[in-house]
Amino acid sequence: MSLLAAMSSSMDERPDRIRIGDRSASPPRLREWAAAVADDLHGTDRVAIETTPTMETVVGVVGALLAGTAVVPVPPDAGPREREHILRDSGARALLVPAGAGTAGTTRGGGPAADGSGLPVVPVDLRRTSATRHPEPGPERTALILYTSGTTGAPKGALLSRGAIATCLDGLAEAWRWTPDDLLVHGLPLFHVHGLVLGVLGPLRIGSRLHHVGRPQPERYAAAGGTLYFGVPTIWSRIAATPTAARALRSARLLVSGSAALPTAVFDGLAALTGHRMVERYGMTETLITVSARADGPRRPGAVGLALPGVRTRIVDEQGRDLPADGTAMGELLVAGPTLFDGYLNRPDADAASRSADGWFRTGDVATIGPDGWHRIVGRASTDLIKSGGYRIGAGEVEEALLAHPAVREAAVVGLPHPDLGQQVTAFVVADGVTGAELVDFVARQLSVHKRPRVVRLVDALPRNALGKVQKKRLVEG
């Protein structure tokens, strides 16, 4: 079956099925625009595209996939060094750009891109259509090369196959009861799994309507009238702080959060305002989405649900020994199954380091798994599992305790080197009208005393990436 099954077969001419910003299209019209791009790309192995939240980006990505060309998304806010690395390391043969965007309408082979990359440009022109039907590539073919940053070195290109993406989307459609009757609303960046794979390729495979609102502002989410909403914790926190916008989501069917842990206070606040208990899910660029709560099952704050069909998970200690699924033992989460990536481009060393001796993917995330199969993500092994005075402390638990204080708006907890304890629990907090000492006492009254922060640093803001994840590495490096 085609990766973009619903779009490929749809005869629905309604022009509001796919809306990106202020542009709308029916599935057949999107297919015709994309086929014109596919005609230009025929025989091209890899193509890069700057993923602005526009219809041209969607048409370019779909056109490349129709042609069997691997897509290399480039963040629109990438600095010159990051952009140059992605274009060079990926081996992209051309660059997709909106027609007239500084290229004077040049076509493939007709001249280099205006950005100095030296790549030939392929314009995405919404005035051009084609009726060509390109043969469906095999499921083993690479669909996307997504660049993901690790703790060291330049970003690595993760190879995601068409089959892995299709399997992931089908599993989510089953878990979330996602159907063509849904209207998916989101405003996520289109260079990540969340916004691009789930948020664009998902509707084109399943057949639901799509409205990408551009900037993910609470008012835009509220006005969209969707049945299914995607967001990251930063978005949901802002919506929870805007009661009028939150109440407008009561008519939705499902609210989904991912890409980072959703604070319990936000979960509870949204439940009170919207009537919905959030669906949380877990995944990575390298694994796609592997664990999720279900539409027809319970939703638990701080937990991300059950493994999706075909996915296997386990937790291990530092020596690789299996830990019990008792809901208490914390260990590194390992994943196996059909949604895994095919490796890092040009990085056999990183491939080897990412696999256990028996072939499972090492996520680098610390988790617990309960007897009922429910997963809770404690955080990154490198920053969120703190070893202090012989204790193993999950940073997320301390953060939740801090966020329960009414004066605290944001909190991030890390372990910093300490000559006696090994690591000391250190909290970076955005708060009003409270002292660090008061917050230490507040946490000590809620948790075991050894889990309290030894140091609280009050800051104006926490460093975050494009998806709202706190960049703890920057806090640790200070």
Side-chain angles (χ1 to χ4, degrees), residues 314-346:
R314 53 192 265 238
I315 52 174
V316 300
D317 63 16
E318 289 91 339
Q319 287 74 44
R321 296 174 300 208
D322 284 304
L323 293 170
D326 58 7
T328 300
M330 292 188 296
E332 184 181 9
L333 180 66
L334 272 55
V335 176
T339 66
L340 262 62
F341 76 138
D342 290 328
Y344 295 112
L345 181 66
N346 306 324

PDB file of all heavy atoms in Angstrom, residues 314-346:
ATOM      1  N   ARG A 314      12.240  -2.863  26.891  1.00  0.00           N
ATOM      2  CA  ARG A 314      12.773  -3.402  28.136  1.00  0.00           C
ATOM      3  C   ARG A 314      13.646  -2.343  28.774  1.00  0.00           C
ATOM      4  O   ARG A 314      14.043  -1.377  28.108  1.00  0.00           O
ATOM      5  CB  ARG A 314      13.570  -4.697  27.906  1.00  0.00           C
ATOM      6  CG  ARG A 314      14.653  -4.576  26.856  1.00  0.00           C
ATOM      7  CD  ARG A 314      15.215  -5.937  26.444  1.00  0.00           C
ATOM      8  NE  ARG A 314      16.403  -6.315  27.148  1.00  0.00           N
ATOM      9  CZ  ARG A 314      17.573  -6.607  26.542  1.00  0.00           C
ATOM     10  NH1 ARG A 314      17.680  -6.555  25.224  1.00  0.00           N
ATOM     11  NH2 ARG A 314      18.613  -6.951  27.251  1.00  0.00           N
ATOM     12  N   ILE A 315      13.942  -2.491  30.059  1.00  0.00           N
ATOM     13  CA  ILE A 315      14.860  -1.574  30.731  1.00  0.00           C
ATOM     14  C   ILE A 315      16.018  -2.371  31.298  1.00  0.00           C
ATOM     15  O   ILE A 315      15.850  -3.519  31.752  1.00  0.00           O
ATOM     16  CB  ILE A 315      14.162  -0.754  31.837  1.00  0.00           C
ATOM     17  CG1 ILE A 315      13.406  -1.656  32.818  1.00  0.00           C
ATOM     18  CG2 ILE A 315      13.229   0.275  31.226  1.00  0.00           C
ATOM     19  CD1 ILE A 315      12.824  -0.895  34.004  1.00  0.00           C
ATOM     20  N   VAL A 316      17.218  -1.750  31.258  1.00  0.00           N
ATOM     21  CA  VAL A 316      18.431  -2.422  31.706  1.00  0.00           C
ATOM     22  C   VAL A 316      19.241  -1.489  32.585  1.00  0.00           C
ATOM     23  O   VAL A 316      19.084  -0.256  32.530  1.00  0.00           O
ATOM     24  CB  VAL A 316      19.295  -2.891  30.510  1.00  0.00           C
ATOM     25  CG1 VAL A 316      18.531  -3.876  29.632  1.00  0.00           C
ATOM     26  CG2 VAL A 316      19.777  -1.702  29.683  1.00  0.00           C
ATOM     27  N   ASP A 317      20.129  -2.085  33.405  1.00  0.00           N
ATOM     28  CA  ASP A 317      21.026  -1.280  34.242  1.00  0.00           C
ATOM     29  C   ASP A 317      22.284  -0.927  33.456  1.00  0.00           C
ATOM     30  O   ASP A 317      22.403  -1.227  32.251  1.00  0.00           O
ATOM     31  CB  ASP A 317      21.344  -2.005  35.545  1.00  0.00           C
ATOM     32  CG  ASP A 317      22.104  -3.319  35.342  1.00  0.00           C
ATOM     33  OD1 ASP A 317      22.654  -3.549  34.239  1.00  0.00           O
ATOM     34  OD2 ASP A 317      22.157  -4.119  36.302  1.00  0.00           O
ATOM     35  N   GLU A 318      23.258  -0.298  34.140  1.00  0.00           N
ATOM     36  CA  GLU A 318      24.462   0.169  33.451  1.00  0.00           C
ATOM     37  C   GLU A 318      25.279  -0.961  32.846  1.00  0.00           C
ATOM     38  O   GLU A 318      26.046  -0.756  31.912  1.00  0.00           O
ATOM     39  CB  GLU A 318      25.341   0.966  34.425  1.00  0.00           C
ATOM     40  CG  GLU A 318      24.778   2.324  34.805  1.00  0.00           C
ATOM     41  CD  GLU A 318      23.913   2.247  36.053  1.00  0.00           C
ATOM     42  OE1 GLU A 318      23.425   1.142  36.384  1.00  0.00           O
ATOM     43  OE2 GLU A 318      23.710   3.294  36.701  1.00  0.00           O
ATOM     44  N   GLN A 319      25.100  -2.175  33.357  1.00  0.00           N
ATOM     45  CA  GLN A 319      25.825  -3.325  32.823  1.00  0.00           C
ATOM     46  C   GLN A 319      25.029  -4.076  31.757  1.00  0.00           C
ATOM     47  O   GLN A 319      25.470  -5.124  31.280  1.00  0.00           O
ATOM     48  CB  GLN A 319      26.194  -4.299  33.958  1.00  0.00           C
ATOM     49  CG  GLN A 319      27.311  -3.794  34.870  1.00  0.00           C
ATOM     50  CD  GLN A 319      26.840  -2.688  35.797  1.00  0.00           C
ATOM     51  OE1 GLN A 319      25.764  -2.766  36.385  1.00  0.00           O
ATOM     52  NE2 GLN A 319      27.649  -1.646  35.924  1.00  0.00           N
ATOM     53  N   GLY A 320      23.873  -3.548  31.389  1.00  0.00           N
ATOM     54  CA  GLY A 320      23.060  -4.193  30.369  1.00  0.00           C
ATOM     55  C   GLY A 320      22.193  -5.320  30.888  1.00  0.00           C
ATOM     56  O   GLY A 320      21.594  -6.056  30.091  1.00  0.00           O
ATOM     57  N   ARG A 321      22.080  -5.455  32.202  1.00  0.00           N
ATOM     58  CA  ARG A 321      21.260  -6.525  32.780  1.00  0.00           C
ATOM     59  C   ARG A 321      19.811  -6.069  32.885  1.00  0.00           C
ATOM     60  O   ARG A 321      19.522  -4.926  33.252  1.00  0.00           O
ATOM     61  CB  ARG A 321      21.794  -6.903  34.168  1.00  0.00           C
ATOM     62  CG  ARG A 321      23.205  -7.488  34.131  1.00  0.00           C
ATOM     63  CD  ARG A 321      23.744  -7.696  35.520  1.00  0.00           C
ATOM     64  NE  ARG A 321      23.812  -6.452  36.286  1.00  0.00           N
ATOM     65  CZ  ARG A 321      24.670  -6.225  37.258  1.00  0.00           C
ATOM     66  NH1 ARG A 321      25.541  -7.164  37.605  1.00  0.00           N
ATOM     67  NH2 ARG A 321      24.664  -5.082  37.912  1.00  0.00           N
ATOM     68  N   ASP A 322      18.887  -6.970  32.554  1.00  0.00           N
ATOM     69  CA  ASP A 322      17.472  -6.633  32.580  1.00  0.00           C
ATOM     70  C   ASP A 322      17.007  -6.289  33.988  1.00  0.00           C
ATOM     71  O   ASP A 322      17.408  -6.934  34.973  1.00  0.00           O
ATOM     72  CB  ASP A 322      16.642  -7.799  32.045  1.00  0.00           C
ATOM     73  CG  ASP A 322      16.703  -7.901  30.534  1.00  0.00           C
ATOM     74  OD1 ASP A 322      16.371  -6.919  29.860  1.00  0.00           O
ATOM     75  OD2 ASP A 322      17.098  -8.969  30.018  1.00  0.00           O
ATOM     76  N   LEU A 323      16.151  -5.282  34.068  1.00  0.00           N
ATOM     77  CA  LEU A 323      15.549  -4.872  35.332  1.00  0.00           C
ATOM     78  C   LEU A 323      14.074  -5.261  35.336  1.00  0.00           C
ATOM     79  O   LEU A 323      13.449  -5.391  34.280  1.00  0.00           O
ATOM     80  CB  LEU A 323      15.690  -3.356  35.512  1.00  0.00           C
ATOM     81  CG  LEU A 323      17.119  -2.841  35.698  1.00  0.00           C
ATOM     82  CD1 LEU A 323      17.159  -1.322  35.614  1.00  0.00           C
ATOM     83  CD2 LEU A 323      17.678  -3.314  37.041  1.00  0.00           C
ATOM     84  N   PRO A 324      13.499  -5.450  36.507  1.00  0.00           N
ATOM     85  CA  PRO A 324      12.103  -5.895  36.568  1.00  0.00           C
ATOM     86  C   PRO A 324      11.115  -4.811  36.145  1.00  0.00           C
ATOM     87  O   PRO A 324      11.334  -3.620  36.388  1.00  0.00           O
ATOM     88  CB  PRO A 324      11.917  -6.253  38.049  1.00  0.00           C
ATOM     89  CG  PRO A 324      12.925  -5.407  38.770  1.00  0.00           C
ATOM     90  CD  PRO A 324      14.104  -5.333  37.851  1.00  0.00           C
ATOM     91  N   ALA A 325      10.023  -5.252  35.519  1.00  0.00           N
ATOM     92  CA  ALA A 325       8.932  -4.343  35.150  1.00  0.00           C
ATOM     93  C   ALA A 325       7.987  -4.245  36.339  1.00  0.00           C
ATOM     94  O   ALA A 325       6.860  -4.762  36.318  1.00  0.00           O
ATOM     95  CB  ALA A 325       8.219  -4.845  33.903  1.00  0.00           C
ATOM     96  N   ASP A 326       8.460  -3.564  37.391  1.00  0.00           N
ATOM     97  CA  ASP A 326       7.682  -3.474  38.626  1.00  0.00           C
ATOM     98  C   ASP A 326       7.185  -2.060  38.909  1.00  0.00           C
ATOM     99  O   ASP A 326       6.604  -1.790  39.963  1.00  0.00           O
ATOM    100  CB  ASP A 326       8.509  -3.972  39.815  1.00  0.00           C
ATOM    101  CG  ASP A 326       9.818  -3.198  40.009  1.00  0.00           C
ATOM    102  OD1 ASP A 326      10.023  -2.183  39.305  1.00  0.00           O
ATOM    103  OD2 ASP A 326      10.632  -3.616  40.852  1.00  0.00           O
ATOM    104  N   GLY A 327       7.433  -1.151  37.961  1.00  0.00           N
ATOM    105  CA  GLY A 327       7.009   0.223  38.138  1.00  0.00           C
ATOM    106  C   GLY A 327       7.914   1.057  39.016  1.00  0.00           C
ATOM    107  O   GLY A 327       7.683   2.257  39.173  1.00  0.00           O
ATOM    108  N   THR A 328       8.947   0.432  39.582  1.00  0.00           N
ATOM    109  CA  THR A 328       9.854   1.136  40.491  1.00  0.00           C
ATOM    110  C   THR A 328      11.277   1.193  39.950  1.00  0.00           C
ATOM    111  O   THR A 328      11.920   2.238  39.996  1.00  0.00           O
ATOM    112  CB  THR A 328       9.857   0.452  41.867  1.00  0.00           C
ATOM    113  OG1 THR A 328       8.534   0.464  42.407  1.00  0.00           O
ATOM    114  CG2 THR A 328      10.788   1.172  42.829  1.00  0.00           C
ATOM    115  N   ALA A 329      11.771   0.063  39.439  1.00  0.00           N
ATOM    116  CA  ALA A 329      13.140  -0.001  38.934  1.00  0.00           C
ATOM    117  C   ALA A 329      13.317   0.965  37.768  1.00  0.00           C
ATOM    118  O   ALA A 329      12.518   0.986  36.832  1.00  0.00           O
ATOM    119  CB  ALA A 329      13.475  -1.422  38.501  1.00  0.00           C
ATOM    120  N   MET A 330      14.383   1.773  37.839  1.00  0.00           N
ATOM    121  CA  MET A 330      14.690   2.724  36.780  1.00  0.00           C
ATOM    122  C   MET A 330      15.894   2.240  35.999  1.00  0.00           C
ATOM    123  O   MET A 330      16.927   1.905  36.583  1.00  0.00           O
ATOM    124  CB  MET A 330      14.994   4.113  37.362  1.00  0.00           C
ATOM    125  CG  MET A 330      13.812   4.811  37.992  1.00  0.00           C
ATOM    126  SD  MET A 330      14.204   6.532  38.455  1.00  0.00           S
ATOM    127  CE  MET A 330      15.471   6.260  39.691  1.00  0.00           C
ATOM    128  N   GLY A 331      15.778   2.210  34.687  1.00  0.00           N
ATOM    129  CA  GLY A 331      16.890   1.800  33.856  1.00  0.00           C
ATOM    130  C   GLY A 331      16.782   2.386  32.468  1.00  0.00           C
ATOM    131  O   GLY A 331      15.771   3.012  32.113  1.00  0.00           O
ATOM    132  N   GLU A 332      17.821   2.178  31.659  1.00  0.00           N
ATOM    133  CA  GLU A 332      17.780   2.692  30.296  1.00  0.00           C
ATOM    134  C   GLU A 332      16.754   1.921  29.479  1.00  0.00           C
ATOM    135  O   GLU A 332      16.699   0.687  29.522  1.00  0.00           O
ATOM    136  CB  GLU A 332      19.146   2.599  29.622  1.00  0.00           C
ATOM    137  CG  GLU A 332      19.134   3.213  28.226  1.00  0.00           C
ATOM    138  CD  GLU A 332      20.460   3.120  27.496  1.00  0.00           C
ATOM    139  OE1 GLU A 332      21.373   2.422  27.993  1.00  0.00           O
ATOM    140  OE2 GLU A 332      20.587   3.742  26.425  1.00  0.00           O
ATOM    141  N   LEU A 333      15.942   2.645  28.737  1.00  0.00           N
ATOM    142  CA  LEU A 333      14.913   2.032  27.897  1.00  0.00           C
ATOM    143  C   LEU A 333      15.527   1.571  26.587  1.00  0.00           C
ATOM    144  O   LEU A 333      16.172   2.345  25.877  1.00  0.00           O
ATOM    145  CB  LEU A 333      13.796   3.034  27.628  1.00  0.00           C
ATOM    146  CG  LEU A 333      12.637   2.539  26.764  1.00  0.00           C
ATOM    147  CD1 LEU A 333      11.865   1.433  27.472  1.00  0.00           C
ATOM    148  CD2 LEU A 333      11.710   3.696  26.403  1.00  0.00           C
ATOM    149  N   LEU A 334      15.313   0.301  26.264  1.00  0.00           N
ATOM    150  CA  LEU A 334      15.734  -0.280  24.993  1.00  0.00           C
ATOM    151  C   LEU A 334      14.493  -0.601  24.173  1.00  0.00           C
ATOM    152  O   LEU A 334      13.458  -1.001  24.723  1.00  0.00           O
ATOM    153  CB  LEU A 334      16.566  -1.545  25.207  1.00  0.00           C
ATOM    154  CG  LEU A 334      18.084  -1.381  25.393  1.00  0.00           C
ATOM    155  CD1 LEU A 334      18.419  -0.431  26.520  1.00  0.00           C
ATOM    156  CD2 LEU A 334      18.749  -2.736  25.625  1.00  0.00           C
ATOM    157  N   VAL A 335      14.599  -0.442  22.853  1.00  0.00           N
ATOM    158  CA  VAL A 335      13.452  -0.610  21.969  1.00  0.00           C
ATOM    159  C   VAL A 335      13.837  -1.477  20.783  1.00  0.00           C
ATOM    160  O   VAL A 335      14.950  -1.374  20.251  1.00  0.00           O
ATOM    161  CB  VAL A 335      12.929   0.754  21.458  1.00  0.00           C
ATOM    162  CG1 VAL A 335      11.804   0.580  20.459  1.00  0.00           C
ATOM    163  CG2 VAL A 335      12.469   1.619  22.620  1.00  0.00           C
ATOM    164  N   ALA A 336      12.911  -2.323  20.351  1.00  0.00           N
ATOM    165  CA  ALA A 336      13.075  -3.112  19.124  1.00  0.00           C
ATOM    166  C   ALA A 336      11.733  -3.140  18.406  1.00  0.00           C
ATOM    167  O   ALA A 336      10.680  -3.009  19.031  1.00  0.00           O
ATOM    168  CB  ALA A 336      13.542  -4.535  19.437  1.00  0.00           C
ATOM    169  N   GLY A 337      11.776  -3.296  17.077  1.00  0.00           N
ATOM    170  CA  GLY A 337      10.527  -3.379  16.337  1.00  0.00           C
ATOM    171  C   GLY A 337      10.610  -2.742  14.969  1.00  0.00           C
ATOM    172  O   GLY A 337      11.653  -2.219  14.550  1.00  0.00           O
ATOM    173  N   PRO A 338       9.497  -2.744  14.234  1.00  0.00           N
ATOM    174  CA  PRO A 338       9.497  -2.337  12.820  1.00  0.00           C
ATOM    175  C   PRO A 338       9.529  -0.833  12.580  1.00  0.00           C
ATOM    176  O   PRO A 338       9.616  -0.419  11.420  1.00  0.00           O
ATOM    177  CB  PRO A 338       8.181  -2.930  12.305  1.00  0.00           C
ATOM    178  CG  PRO A 338       7.285  -2.967  13.505  1.00  0.00           C
ATOM    179  CD  PRO A 338       8.192  -3.280  14.657  1.00  0.00           C
ATOM    180  N   THR A 339       9.458  -0.019  13.622  1.00  0.00           N
ATOM    181  CA  THR A 339       9.490   1.432  13.412  1.00  0.00           C
ATOM    182  C   THR A 339      10.892   2.018  13.556  1.00  0.00           C
ATOM    183  O   THR A 339      11.064   3.234  13.424  1.00  0.00           O
ATOM    184  CB  THR A 339       8.551   2.153  14.394  1.00  0.00           C
ATOM    185  OG1 THR A 339       9.034   1.993  15.731  1.00  0.00           O
ATOM    186  CG2 THR A 339       7.128   1.614  14.293  1.00  0.00           C
ATOM    187  N   LEU A 340      11.888   1.176  13.818  1.00  0.00           N
ATOM    188  CA  LEU A 340      13.235   1.692  14.039  1.00  0.00           C
ATOM    189  C   LEU A 340      13.867   2.191  12.742  1.00  0.00           C
ATOM    190  O   LEU A 340      13.573   1.691  11.651  1.00  0.00           O
ATOM    191  CB  LEU A 340      14.126   0.627  14.657  1.00  0.00           C
ATOM    192  CG  LEU A 340      14.289   0.697  16.180  1.00  0.00           C
ATOM    193  CD1 LEU A 340      12.940   0.495  16.859  1.00  0.00           C
ATOM    194  CD2 LEU A 340      15.292  -0.336  16.672  1.00  0.00           C
ATOM    195  N   PHE A 341      14.745   3.159  12.898  1.00  0.00           N
ATOM    196  CA  PHE A 341      15.466   3.705  11.750  1.00  0.00           C
ATOM    197  C   PHE A 341      16.474   2.699  11.215  1.00  0.00           C
ATOM    198  O   PHE A 341      16.745   1.659  11.832  1.00  0.00           O
ATOM    199  CB  PHE A 341      16.133   5.022  12.121  1.00  0.00           C
ATOM    200  CG  PHE A 341      17.398   4.912  12.971  1.00  0.00           C
ATOM    201  CD1 PHE A 341      18.493   5.710  12.699  1.00  0.00           C
ATOM    202  CD2 PHE A 341      17.483   4.040  14.054  1.00  0.00           C
ATOM    203  CE1 PHE A 341      19.643   5.650  13.468  1.00  0.00           C
ATOM    204  CE2 PHE A 341      18.626   3.968  14.833  1.00  0.00           C
ATOM    205  CZ  PHE A 341      19.714   4.773  14.534  1.00  0.00           C
ATOM    206  N   ASP A 342      17.065   3.021  10.051  1.00  0.00           N
ATOM    207  CA  ASP A 342      18.011   2.113   9.414  1.00  0.00           C
ATOM    208  C   ASP A 342      19.461   2.481   9.684  1.00  0.00           C
ATOM    209  O   ASP A 342      20.365   1.966   9.023  1.00  0.00           O
ATOM    210  CB  ASP A 342      17.763   2.084   7.900  1.00  0.00           C
ATOM    211  CG  ASP A 342      16.458   1.402   7.544  1.00  0.00           C
ATOM    212  OD1 ASP A 342      16.051   0.468   8.263  1.00  0.00           O
ATOM    213  OD2 ASP A 342      15.832   1.807   6.546  1.00  0.00           O
ATOM    214  N   GLY A 343      19.677   3.348  10.637  1.00  0.00           N
ATOM    215  CA  GLY A 343      21.038   3.709  10.992  1.00  0.00           C
ATOM    216  C   GLY A 343      21.315   5.181  10.741  1.00  0.00           C
ATOM    217  O   GLY A 343      20.501   5.910  10.174  1.00  0.00           O
ATOM    218  N   TYR A 344      22.505   5.609  11.187  1.00  0.00           N
ATOM    219  CA  TYR A 344      22.949   6.984  10.980  1.00  0.00           C
ATOM    220  C   TYR A 344      23.773   7.065   9.699  1.00  0.00           C
ATOM    221  O   TYR A 344      24.680   6.253   9.480  1.00  0.00           O
ATOM    222  CB  TYR A 344      23.807   7.459  12.150  1.00  0.00           C
ATOM    223  CG  TYR A 344      23.081   7.551  13.466  1.00  0.00           C
ATOM    224  CD1 TYR A 344      23.385   6.689  14.512  1.00  0.00           C
ATOM    225  CD2 TYR A 344      22.093   8.509  13.667  1.00  0.00           C
ATOM    226  CE1 TYR A 344      22.724   6.777  15.723  1.00  0.00           C
ATOM    227  CE2 TYR A 344      21.425   8.612  14.879  1.00  0.00           C
ATOM    228  CZ  TYR A 344      21.750   7.737  15.905  1.00  0.00           C
ATOM    229  OH  TYR A 344      21.091   7.824  17.109  1.00  0.00           O
ATOM    230  N   LEU A 345      23.459   8.031   8.873  1.00  0.00           N
ATOM    231  CA  LEU A 345      24.165   8.209   7.615  1.00  0.00           C
ATOM    232  C   LEU A 345      25.639   8.520   7.870  1.00  0.00           C
ATOM    233  O   LEU A 345      25.967   9.413   8.651  1.00  0.00           O
ATOM    234  CB  LEU A 345      23.515   9.362   6.832  1.00  0.00           C
ATOM    235  CG  LEU A 345      24.095   9.691   5.466  1.00  0.00           C
ATOM    236  CD1 LEU A 345      23.854   8.540   4.503  1.00  0.00           C
ATOM    237  CD2 LEU A 345      23.473  10.982   4.927  1.00  0.00           C
ATOM    238  N   ASN A 346      26.505   7.747   7.240  1.00  0.00           N
ATOM    239  CA  ASN A 346      27.956   7.976   7.294  1.00  0.00           C
ATOM    240  C   ASN A 346      28.554   7.827   8.692  1.00  0.00           C
ATOM    241  O   ASN A 346      29.655   8.309   8.937  1.00  0.00           O
ATOM    242  CB  ASN A 346      28.314   9.388   6.778  1.00  0.00           C
ATOM    243  CG  ASN A 346      27.764   9.672   5.406  1.00  0.00           C
ATOM    244  OD1 ASN A 346      27.714   8.779   4.561  1.00  0.00           O
ATOM    245  ND2 ASN A 346      27.345  10.905   5.171  1.00  0.00           N
TER     246      ASN A 346
END
